[in-house]
Amino acid sequence: MIKAGIVGATGYAGAELVRLLTSHPEAEISAISSVSFEGQKLSDVYPSYTFLNDMVCEDQDAVVEKSDVIFAALPHGLSQELAEKCISAGKAFIDLGADFRLESEEEYTEWYGGTFLDKKLHEQAVYGLPEFFRDKIKGKKLIANPGCYTTCSPLAIAPAIANGLVSTKGIICDCKSGVTGAGRKPTQGNHFPELNEGFHAYKVACHRHTPEIEQTLSKLSGEDVTITFVPHLLPVNRGILATVYADINEGVTFEQIRKAYEDFYKDEFFVRLLDDGKCADIHNVRYSNFCDVSIHHDKRANKLVACAAIDNMVKGAAGQAIQNMNIIFGLDEKTGLVIVPPAF
Amino acid sequence: MIKAGIVGATGYAGAELVRLLTSHPEAEISAISSVSFEGQKLSDVYPSYTFLNDMVCEDQDAVVEKSDVIFAALPHGLSQELAEKCISAGKAFIDLGADFRLESEEEYTEWYGGTFLDKKLHEQAVYGLPEFFRDKIKGKKLIANPGCYTTCSPLAIAPAIANGLVSTKGIICDCKSGVTGAGRKPTQGNHFPELNEGFHAYKVACHRHTPEIEQTLSKLSGEDVTITFVPHLLPVNRGILATVYADINEGVTFEQIRKAYEDFYKDEFFVRLLDDGKCADIHNVRYSNFCDVSIHHDKRANKLVACAAIDNMVKGAAGQAIQNMNIIFGLDEKTGLVIVPPAF
Amino acid sequence: MIKAGIVGATGYAGAELVRLLTSHPEAEISAISSVSFEGQKLSDVYPSYTFLNDMVCEDQDAVVEKSDVIFAALPHGLSQELAEKCISAGKAFIDLGADFRLESEEEYTEWYGGTFLDKKLHEQAVYGLPEFFRDKIKGKKLIANPGCYTTCSPLAIAPAIANGLVSTKGIICDCKSGVTGAGRKPTQGNHFPELNEGFHAYKVACHRHTPEIEQTLSKLSGEDVTITFVPHLLPVNRGILATVYADINEGVTFEQIRKAYEDFYKDEFFVRLLDDGKCADIHNVRYSNFCDVSIHHDKRANKLVACAAIDNMVKGAAGQAIQNMNIIFGLDEKTGLVIVPPAF
Amino acid sequence: MIKAGIVGATGYAGAELVRLLTSHPEAEISAISSVSFEGQKLSDVYPSYTFLNDMVCEDQDAVVEKSDVIFAALPHGLSQELAEKCISAGKAFIDLGADFRLESEEEYTEWYGGTFLDKKLHEQAVYGLPEFFRDKIKGKKLIANPGCYTTCSPLAIAPAIANGLVSTKGIICDCKSGVTGAGRKPTQGNHFPELNEGFHAYKVACHRHTPEIEQTLSKLSGEDVTITFVPHLLPVNRGILATVYADINEGVTFEQIRKAYEDFYKDEFFVRLLDDGKCADIHNVRYSNFCDVSIHHDKRANKLVACAAIDNMVKGAAGQAIQNMNIIFGLDEKTGLVIVPPAF
């Protein structure tokens, strides 16, 4: 059994890791930590876990010591030091935060305001979006687990981008996320009466996930891609829908695009390419690691409209982190993640 | 008092007309009709109206006879004959359906499958989006009341389009609507457990509101505008948010765009242009005739991102219809429509 | 015009007073205050009010000075001193908090922990539930506006209690409230993802509204009534449903009970007694001052089951406060409160 | 592997059986049937199941033939004949409908309007609420799987009833259910805009689950129990909360009651008795087979208030049916049902 520790277990991503790891057949939770709830039981914070996980939150050192792999679900800036400690101790480290996602320190500084503590450490990090970078993940110990928008948006458009079927200029990612994406801390904007029956954009064209999406699309296309990214807040608990718009290149038919999607995803268990005429819906992927993708042709403007739906807490966070753990420990990638999304 | 009759009073748009007209100080509901509920009380269909409107649904002829103005909230194709009857009888006719919205019969046939019964009648019709076409509405008797998406999307982008500040090519309208937009008839897709906690696009790039939005933008710009329009279904009762993307023309600054919006809407009571940094939210316009507009600059891609929020049943249907009635009867446009949107 | 001031305008009850008073034809808002937002515009706190109420929050003294009637929406314990100031200055004072609701200081101390600052002041206070105590309200200047549960529960059962048709022993009030009842301050329990799709009881048999309901029922029955009161939290914005259970007295028929309800409420505009077979629904009273009441006979156990639905922020707070203002200023009680509840 | 067949697989209970059985380690779905969707893939009806269960709906005979155990999720009245067929063929039969739940034919006729086709068959049936009747279930082939309200309400009060600590007279079950309880067929009442933001009682004191709850409580107490049962409809997908009120017998302390609950449920994996001061919440049992129970003392009226929360589709339907299957096939009762309820 893999001994898996969770640092930041009482945040939403940490709590979701607990939920998923509890039924993982090849891993067991070795220890959990939380700054805010040290010494308290996780099930006091999340009563739904009562009797299923009544572990007490310890400190970070205890987690590192007791674990083969450490998942960190921390605010950005707090993972680098911990990563160093884990890697030095020969442990695997999977970071659900943003510290290791951007390869360019300049971009990191621009968007997050910090610097790379140890450049060599960053060179060891691999971006853990298995559908694109599986081969690079194998054998690694330091994984930068992608964010939620940054998983969903590229999965929507990757086959078209990677095959040069759409223009890399002018791509628009209009994304809509459930509330858990904003975390556990209550705020006025997430207070039930003010969010319920509402819907709005936020951080328009200035959200930190922008350079991360661009980095992935640039790798896939081999060109420098600049996108327009606009996130919106949905009054639902879970799920992200990315609606991505791209200009179809001259001479390219929609049939070629569909074929490219079919080929690109044919062996990807977690990506479900929907039939023509169907639309990806966050309802159908809740609580699971699936990403549903639907593609649509705007014939009048000759654009590709691609929709991708994920559960932001699973494929957009904890599920993908476990998928990465499976890969680096040589397990079948699906282990512990074959979950039927509920129909209602 | 204006005698106002409603044909199709038991559909959602009709019911909303009843709600709003009940507190209109210069109009009274003279008669209502419904094919499905003829002979029954409206308050049996909508118990929230008990004691406030217990009128019995009559037939269409009774409504025409008893009214100075007839509002028709019917499925498309059913208004043309009724309009003819009303206009012949010297009544005003405000059509909340699609029969008179498109000026081109060819487009109407392409998107709706019918023909214009009487071309002369269509020539008398005016498209009732007061913020753009107020002067043409005055003195008219036959109003084509715009649809919900087709009110919201142009209001988001009009000042930029009308002043030639953005390209008329490649405009994208990514819209999200509450469920009332789909009407009163229960369907599997709108069944509570299958819609709640879900979100998806539908009729991608093939929704009937596409040519109507294009017609309005073409008039505003003086050019033939083709857009990409993708509607989505939100798990809320009311509201539409349109997120509209357009390329800023070379040499145009965002300050110029803001100035154009301020000038364009400075005398428009029902359009609230939000300060920089704020985002239009459907939560803030519910149950009211307001349209909140926020504009945002994607500096990296030099695009304008404009958001507009309306209540789809008010500014997107019944409220705007009353606004049109006010204009054609020479009342202050705001009469009966100064409603404070609830804060929660 | 009555000059109406609001102390505590940025809390939910205060904000709802603003919404309702804005369309009151005989009153105008003279000044508002808020400790947390002094110097800021109300519409910055509640953007839905933009352009409709952009008043700046002042201090309490300014409100008292500028107003004929002062509405106080403050946490308990903070109204007594303010009331004294207002009454001394000859102003009317309507307290939406709990300070003047209980006539017994002993009970107040037991449930709220404070004392009566000025017993004479308390003697001047009248409990403002107009359907029961209208005659006592007329001509008064100091009104204790009832709480939400304490309006809804007695309205459900009053006619049976007042006519001695049910036992005063063993009455159970199983109540369910929307989230606005818990106020504007974000908490973990009201954080969207943890409340949405949830439902639970709270403060079981120990909620502070218990003695207030008992006080009203005791007055109506002439006996000392002890009840069991269990509130629950509904994942909706607005509304309270009280389901009240009482044993029917021997020899009393259900027809007698229905007759008693009809007589009791026949002149009450804001109480809508539903026909047999219908059930009161919070959906049908939202945003309005109505209380829908339905009564049901459990023949097998010979119990009366009475349901009452109100909007907790209107009939349960701000609307009833305005109803009281109308009475004490000699206006028609309905003035400014004839609002059609939306059908959806 | 147990071959499990599902008749009525496209209804909500049937679909939930599919979800749960898919991850059952000792059972596999052998065949499914549906009258409405015969010949179609289940994943066309429930797209969330795509690639996980793409089985085609067959007819009932195929299901019977291919299965060791047949789960029937049919409207009442349709199971008796099928049960006969299965039992004759030596198969196990678990009925999620009401046909075999009531032991008294007279009561069945009174509440459901039909008769017992074959009294001997009814004598073989055992009521499958394992926490109470586990020993009778073992070795049986014909299980009447309890309804949702009828699982939740008795679990709330059983320890007090079974130990004679509360009066069997005057028990009140005030229950609140999520919308899936009403099934998959869209109705006006469950149409999103009319249910969302609403809450009401229905079938007050005349719901068919009444005699079933009474039958269970009568068995537990050894007395004839008559209850008052009032169900309400919650605007959530899943979950039932039962709030049960009972008079504490003279001389009984609340400590004795708590002790009785602890003893009664100490070996029940699926019942989680919460600590004093906590309240059962449907949020914490969603998608799982758990029943959370909290007990509260109304000292002033000396009543026990007991709350129980279940997922109506799992412990209230499909999960409990699988629990019964596990028992009759000699498996550990928890097999396939150790599911961590999500925290959000």
Side-chain angles (χ1 to χ4, degrees):
Chain A
M1 294 291 269
I2 302 165
K3 287 178 185 162
I6 303 166
V7 172
T10 56
Y12 278 175
E16 189 72 353
L17 278 164
V18 169
R19 180 178 79 90
L20 294 170
L21 286 169
T22 301
S23 35
H24 194 290
E26 309 280 341
E28 63 185 1
I29 302 174
S30 48
I32 60 176
S33 79
S34 161
V35 172
S36 317
F37 297 94
E38 199 176 317
Q40 293 182 48
K41 283 197 295 184
L42 182 68
S43 54
D44 284 342
V45 183
Y46 295 109
S48 72
Y49 293 176
T50 304
F51 296 165
L52 296 161
N53 187 314
D54 293 324
M55 293 176 88
V56 170
C57 295
E58 306 181 67
D59 62 20
Q60 286 192 11
D61 288 346
V63 175
V64 176
E65 198 190 318
K66 297 181 184 176
S67 310
D68 303 319
V69 56
I70 291 89
F71 293 93
L74 296 171
H76 74 267
L78 302 181
S79 288
Q80 300 192 49
E81 216 170 322
L82 177 62
E84 198 136 44
K85 200 182 299 180
C86 293
I87 297 299
S88 314
K91 318 281 187 167
F93 184 79
I94 298 175
D95 185 18
L96 284 82
D99 286 12
F100 295 95
R101 290 182 195 155
L102 294 177
E103 296 183 358
S104 151
E105 185 172 3
E106 197 184 347
E107 281 199 327
Y108 182 75
T109 305
E110 181 189 342
W111 291 86
Y112 290 93
T115 54
F116 286 0
L117 288 194
D118 176 349
K119 280 167 215 209
K120 290 211 176 128
L121 194 66
H122 272 81
E123 279 160 23
Q124 293 177 45
V126 60
Y127 190 73
L129 216 166
E131 282 75 9
F132 305 149
F133 308 118
R134 183 174 290 118
D135 291 342
K136 294 189 180 152
I137 299 167
K138 285 176 189 163
K140 289 300 189 315
K141 292 231 142 179
L142 174 45
I143 307 291
N145 203 61
C148 48
Y149 290 122
T150 55
T151 293
C152 198
S153 307
L155 282 169
I157 196 74
I161 283 281
N163 288 286
L165 303 175
V166 295
S167 170
T168 56
K169 310 280 174 233
I171 291 174
I172 287 169
C173 300
D174 188 291
C175 294
K176 302 89 176 174
S177 172
V179 191
T180 47
R184 184 173 184 269
K185 197 179 149 66
T187 64
Q188 202 63 50
N190 297 347
H191 191 43
F192 190 93
E194 301 183 29
L195 181 69
N196 185 34
E197 297 294 297
F199 182 73
H200 61 86
Y202 68 98
K203 293 187 188 162
V204 175
C206 60
H207 190 286
R208 281 166 171 165
H209 282 178
T210 310
E212 193 181 329
I213 300 171
E214 290 174 347
Q215 174 180 282
T216 299
L217 296 185
S218 297
K219 285 190 184 179
L220 290 169
S221 69
E223 294 175 42
D224 266 359
V225 178
T226 299
I227 62 159
T228 297
F229 169 51
V230 178
H232 301 72
L233 189 58
L234 275 172
V236 304
N237 282 11
R238 287 164 176 258
I240 285 185
L241 188 84
T243 310
V244 182
Y245 299 85
D247 289 307
I248 297 176
N249 283 334
E250 252 195 77
V252 172
T253 66
F254 190 67
E255 288 64 40
Q256 287 175 280
I257 293 176
R258 171 154 282 279
K259 180 72 168 47
Y261 273 77
E262 286 168 356
D263 291 348
F264 199 94
Y265 287 135
K266 69 172 187 292
D267 296 326
E268 295 299 338
F269 178 75
F270 292 119
V271 180
R272 303 192 292 193
L273 180 63
L274 305 187
D275 291 341
D276 270 334
K278 296 190 173 170
C279 292
D281 188 334
I282 59 169
H283 197 274
N284 296 333
V285 296
R286 290 175 305 145
Y287 302 101
S288 85
N289 203 49
F290 289 101
C291 175
D292 281 2
V293 174
S294 64
I295 56 173
H296 314 270
H297 188 198
D298 180 359
K299 293 176 191 168
R300 301 165 76 253
N302 203 30
K303 282 183 193 287
L304 169 65
V305 184
C307 295
I310 61 168
D311 183 316
N312 58 310
M313 300 308 300
V314 187
K315 184 63 182 168
Q320 185 149 264
I322 293 170
Q323 192 179 352
N324 280 313
M325 178 192 80
N326 289 342
I327 296 173
I328 63 183
F329 281 84
L331 301 176
D332 180 335
E333 202 170 315
K334 302 189 298 292
T335 312
L337 293 171
V338 183
I339 298 163
V340 182
F344 36 80
Chain B
M1 296 291 270
I2 302 165
K3 288 177 186 163
I6 303 165
V7 172
T10 55
Y12 277 175
E16 189 71 354
L17 279 165
V18 169
R19 179 177 80 88
L20 294 170
L21 286 169
T22 301
S23 35
H24 195 289
E26 309 281 341
E28 62 185 2
I29 302 174
S30 47
I32 60 175
S33 79
S34 162
V35 170
S36 315
F37 296 93
E38 200 177 316
Q40 293 183 49
K41 284 198 294 186
L42 182 67
S43 53
D44 284 342
V45 182
Y46 295 108
S48 73
Y49 293 176
T50 303
F51 296 165
L52 296 161
N53 187 313
D54 293 325
M55 294 177 86
V56 170
C57 296
E58 305 181 67
D59 62 20
Q60 286 193 8
D61 288 345
V63 175
V64 176
E65 198 191 318
K66 296 181 184 176
S67 310
D68 302 320
V69 55
I70 291 90
F71 294 93
L74 297 170
H76 74 267
L78 302 181
S79 288
Q80 300 193 49
E81 216 171 322
L82 177 62
E84 198 136 44
K85 201 182 298 180
C86 293
I87 297 299
S88 315
K91 318 280 186 168
F93 184 80
I94 298 174
D95 185 20
L96 283 84
D99 286 11
F100 294 96
R101 290 183 194 154
L102 294 177
E103 296 182 359
S104 151
E105 184 171 3
E106 197 182 347
E107 280 198 328
Y108 182 74
T109 305
E110 181 188 341
W111 291 87
Y112 290 93
T115 54
F116 286 0
L117 288 193
D118 175 350
K119 281 167 215 209
K120 289 208 175 130
L121 194 66
H122 272 81
E123 281 161 19
Q124 294 176 45
V126 59
Y127 190 73
L129 215 166
E131 283 74 10
F132 304 149
F133 309 118
R134 184 174 289 117
D135 292 341
K136 295 191 179 148
I137 299 168
K138 287 176 188 162
K140 289 300 190 317
K141 294 231 141 179
L142 175 46
I143 307 291
N145 203 62
C148 48
Y149 290 122
T150 56
T151 292
C152 198
S153 307
L155 282 169
I157 198 74
I161 283 281
N163 288 286
L165 304 175
V166 295
S167 171
T168 56
K169 310 280 174 234
I171 291 173
I172 288 170
C173 300
D174 188 290
C175 294
K176 303 87 175 174
S177 173
V179 191
T180 48
R184 183 172 184 271
K185 197 179 150 68
T187 63
Q188 202 64 50
N190 297 347
H191 191 42
F192 190 93
E194 301 184 28
L195 181 68
N196 185 36
E197 298 295 296
F199 182 73
H200 60 85
Y202 67 100
K203 293 188 188 160
V204 176
C206 61
H207 190 284
R208 282 165 170 167
H209 282 179
T210 310
E212 194 182 327
I213 300 172
E214 291 175 346
Q215 174 180 281
T216 298
L217 296 185
S218 297
K219 286 191 183 178
L220 290 169
S221 69
E223 295 175 43
D224 267 359
V225 178
T226 299
I227 61 159
T228 297
F229 169 51
V230 177
H232 301 72
L233 190 58
L234 277 171
V236 304
N237 281 10
R238 287 164 175 258
I240 285 184
L241 188 84
T243 310
V244 181
Y245 300 84
D247 288 306
I248 298 176
N249 283 334
E250 251 195 79
V252 173
T253 66
F254 190 67
E255 289 64 40
Q256 286 175 281
I257 292 176
R258 172 154 279 280
K259 180 72 168 48
Y261 272 78
E262 286 168 358
D263 291 348
F264 200 93
Y265 287 135
K266 69 172 185 293
D267 296 324
E268 295 299 338
F269 178 75
F270 292 119
V271 180
R272 303 192 293 193
L273 181 63
L274 305 187
D275 291 341
D276 269 334
K278 295 190 173 171
C279 293
D281 188 334
I282 59 170
H283 197 274
N284 296 332
V285 295
R286 290 176 305 143
Y287 301 101
S288 84
N289 203 49
F290 289 101
C291 175
D292 281 2
V293 174
S294 64
I295 56 174
H296 314 268
H297 188 198
D298 181 0
K299 292 176 192 170
R300 302 164 77 253
N302 203 30
K303 283 184 195 282
L304 169 65
V305 183
C307 294
I310 61 168
D311 183 318
N312 59 310
M313 300 309 299
V314 188
K315 185 64 181 167
Q320 185 148 264
I322 293 170
Q323 193 180 352
N324 281 312
M325 179 193 79
N326 289 341
I327 295 173
I328 62 183
F329 281 84
L331 302 176
D332 180 333
E333 203 169 314
K334 302 189 298 291
T335 313
L337 294 172
V338 183
I339 298 163
V340 183
F344 36 80
Chain C
M1 294 289 271
I2 302 166
K3 287 177 186 163
I6 303 165
V7 172
T10 55
Y12 278 174
E16 189 71 354
L17 278 165
V18 170
R19 179 177 80 88
L20 294 170
L21 285 169
T22 301
S23 35
H24 194 289
E26 309 280 342
E28 63 185 2
I29 302 174
S30 47
I32 60 176
S33 78
S34 162
V35 171
S36 316
F37 296 94
E38 199 177 317
Q40 293 182 49
K41 284 198 293 186
L42 181 67
S43 53
D44 283 340
V45 182
Y46 295 109
S48 72
Y49 293 176
T50 303
F51 297 166
L52 296 161
N53 188 313
D54 292 325
M55 294 177 87
V56 170
C57 295
E58 306 182 67
D59 62 19
Q60 285 193 10
D61 288 345
V63 175
V64 176
E65 198 191 316
K66 296 182 185 175
S67 310
D68 304 320
V69 55
I70 290 90
F71 294 93
L74 297 170
H76 74 267
L78 301 181
S79 289
Q80 301 192 49
E81 215 170 323
L82 177 62
E84 198 137 44
K85 201 182 299 181
C86 293
I87 297 299
S88 314
K91 318 280 186 169
F93 184 80
I94 298 175
D95 186 20
L96 283 83
D99 286 11
F100 295 96
R101 290 183 195 154
L102 294 177
E103 297 182 358
S104 152
E105 184 172 3
E106 196 183 347
E107 280 199 328
Y108 182 75
T109 306
E110 182 189 342
W111 291 86
Y112 291 92
T115 54
F116 287 179
L117 289 192
D118 176 349
K119 279 166 217 211
K120 289 210 176 130
L121 194 68
H122 272 81
E123 280 160 22
Q124 294 176 46
V126 61
Y127 190 73
L129 215 167
E131 283 74 10
F132 305 149
F133 309 118
R134 183 174 290 119
D135 292 340
K136 294 190 180 152
I137 299 168
K138 286 176 190 163
K140 289 301 189 318
K141 292 230 142 179
L142 175 46
I143 306 292
N145 203 62
C148 48
Y149 290 121
T150 55
T151 293
C152 198
S153 306
L155 282 169
I157 196 74
I161 283 282
N163 288 286
L165 304 175
V166 295
S167 170
T168 56
K169 309 280 174 236
I171 291 174
I172 287 169
C173 300
D174 187 291
C175 294
K176 303 88 176 175
S177 172
V179 190
T180 48
R184 183 172 184 270
K185 197 180 149 68
T187 63
Q188 202 64 49
N190 297 346
H191 190 42
F192 190 93
E194 301 184 28
L195 181 69
N196 185 35
E197 298 293 297
F199 183 73
H200 61 87
Y202 68 99
K203 293 187 188 161
V204 176
C206 60
H207 190 284
R208 283 167 169 165
H209 282 180
T210 311
E212 194 181 328
I213 300 172
E214 291 175 346
Q215 174 179 281
T216 298
L217 296 185
S218 297
K219 285 190 184 180
L220 289 168
S221 69
E223 294 176 43
D224 267 358
V225 178
T226 299
I227 61 160
T228 296
F229 169 52
V230 178
H232 301 73
L233 190 59
L234 276 172
V236 304
N237 281 11
R238 287 165 174 257
I240 286 184
L241 188 84
T243 310
V244 182
Y245 299 84
D247 288 306
I248 297 176
N249 282 335
E250 251 196 77
V252 173
T253 65
F254 190 68
E255 289 64 39
Q256 286 175 281
I257 293 176
R258 170 153 282 279
K259 181 71 168 47
Y261 273 77
E262 286 168 357
D263 291 348
F264 199 94
Y265 286 135
K266 69 171 186 293
D267 296 325
E268 295 300 337
F269 178 76
F270 292 120
V271 180
R272 302 192 294 193
L273 180 63
L274 305 188
D275 291 340
D276 269 335
K278 296 190 173 171
C279 292
D281 188 335
I282 59 170
H283 197 274
N284 296 332
V285 296
R286 290 175 305 144
Y287 302 102
S288 85
N289 203 49
F290 289 101
C291 175
D292 281 2
V293 174
S294 64
I295 56 173
H296 314 269
H297 188 197
D298 179 359
K299 293 177 193 168
R300 302 164 77 252
N302 202 30
K303 283 183 193 284
L304 169 65
V305 184
C307 295
I310 61 168
D311 183 318
N312 58 311
M313 300 309 299
V314 188
K315 184 64 181 167
Q320 185 148 267
I322 293 171
Q323 192 180 353
N324 281 313
M325 178 193 79
N326 289 342
I327 295 173
I328 62 182
F329 282 84
L331 302 176
D332 180 334
E333 203 170 315
K334 302 189 297 292
T335 311
L337 294 172
V338 183
I339 298 163
V340 183
F344 36 79
Chain D
M1 295 290 269
I2 301 165
K3 288 178 185 163
I6 303 165
V7 172
T10 56
Y12 278 174
E16 189 71 353
L17 279 165
V18 169
R19 179 177 80 90
L20 294 170
L21 286 169
T22 301
S23 35
H24 194 290
E26 308 281 340
E28 63 185 1
I29 303 173
S30 48
I32 60 176
S33 79
S34 162
V35 171
S36 315
F37 296 94
E38 198 177 320
Q40 293 182 48
K41 284 198 294 185
L42 181 67
S43 54
D44 284 341
V45 182
Y46 295 109
S48 72
Y49 293 174
T50 303
F51 296 166
L52 296 160
N53 187 315
D54 294 322
M55 293 177 87
V56 169
C57 295
E58 306 181 66
D59 62 19
Q60 286 194 10
D61 288 346
V63 175
V64 176
E65 197 190 320
K66 298 180 183 175
S67 310
D68 303 319
V69 55
I70 290 90
F71 294 94
L74 297 170
H76 74 265
L78 302 182
S79 288
Q80 300 192 50
E81 215 170 324
L82 177 63
E84 197 137 45
K85 200 183 298 181
C86 293
I87 297 299
S88 314
K91 318 281 186 168
F93 184 80
I94 298 175
D95 186 20
L96 283 83
D99 286 11
F100 295 95
R101 291 182 193 155
L102 294 177
E103 296 182 0
S104 152
E105 183 171 4
E106 197 183 346
E107 281 199 325
Y108 182 74
T109 306
E110 182 188 341
W111 290 87
Y112 290 92
T115 54
F116 287 0
L117 288 193
D118 175 349
K119 279 166 218 210
K120 291 210 176 131
L121 194 65
H122 272 80
E123 280 161 21
Q124 295 177 46
V126 61
Y127 190 73
L129 216 165
E131 282 75 9
F132 304 148
F133 308 116
R134 183 173 290 118
D135 292 340
K136 295 191 179 150
I137 298 166
K138 287 176 188 162
K140 289 300 188 318
K141 294 230 143 180
L142 174 47
I143 306 291
N145 203 63
C148 48
Y149 290 121
T150 55
T151 293
C152 197
S153 307
L155 282 169
I157 198 71
I161 283 281
N163 288 287
L165 303 175
V166 295
S167 171
T168 56
K169 310 282 174 231
I171 291 173
I172 287 170
C173 299
D174 187 290
C175 295
K176 303 87 176 174
S177 172
V179 191
T180 47
R184 184 172 183 270
K185 196 180 151 66
T187 63
Q188 201 65 49
N190 296 347
H191 190 42
F192 190 93
E194 301 184 29
L195 180 69
N196 185 36
E197 297 295 297
F199 182 73
H200 61 87
Y202 68 99
K203 293 188 188 159
V204 176
C206 61
H207 190 285
R208 282 166 170 166
H209 283 178
T210 310
E212 193 181 328
I213 299 172
E214 290 174 347
Q215 173 179 282
T216 299
L217 296 185
S218 298
K219 285 191 184 180
L220 290 169
S221 69
E223 296 175 42
D224 266 357
V225 179
T226 299
I227 62 160
T228 297
F229 169 51
V230 178
H232 302 72
L233 190 59
L234 276 171
V236 304
N237 281 11
R238 287 164 176 258
I240 286 184
L241 188 84
T243 311
V244 181
Y245 299 86
D247 288 306
I248 297 176
N249 283 335
E250 252 194 76
V252 172
T253 65
F254 190 68
E255 290 62 41
Q256 286 175 279
I257 293 176
R258 171 154 281 279
K259 180 71 168 48
Y261 273 78
E262 287 167 358
D263 291 347
F264 199 94
Y265 287 134
K266 69 172 186 292
D267 296 325
E268 295 299 338
F269 178 76
F270 292 119
V271 180
R272 302 191 295 193
L273 180 64
L274 306 187
D275 290 341
D276 269 335
K278 297 190 173 170
C279 293
D281 188 334
I282 59 170
H283 197 274
N284 296 332
V285 295
R286 290 175 305 144
Y287 302 101
S288 85
N289 203 49
F290 288 102
C291 175
D292 280 3
V293 174
S294 65
I295 57 174
H296 315 268
H297 187 198
D298 180 0
K299 293 176 192 170
R300 302 165 76 252
N302 203 29
K303 284 183 193 283
L304 169 65
V305 183
C307 295
I310 61 167
D311 183 317
N312 59 310
M313 300 309 300
V314 187
K315 184 64 182 167
Q320 185 149 265
I322 293 170
Q323 192 179 354
N324 280 313
M325 178 192 80
N326 289 342
I327 296 172
I328 62 183
F329 282 83
L331 302 176
D332 180 333
E333 203 170 313
K334 301 190 299 292
T335 312
L337 294 171
V338 183
I339 298 164
V340 183
F344 36 79

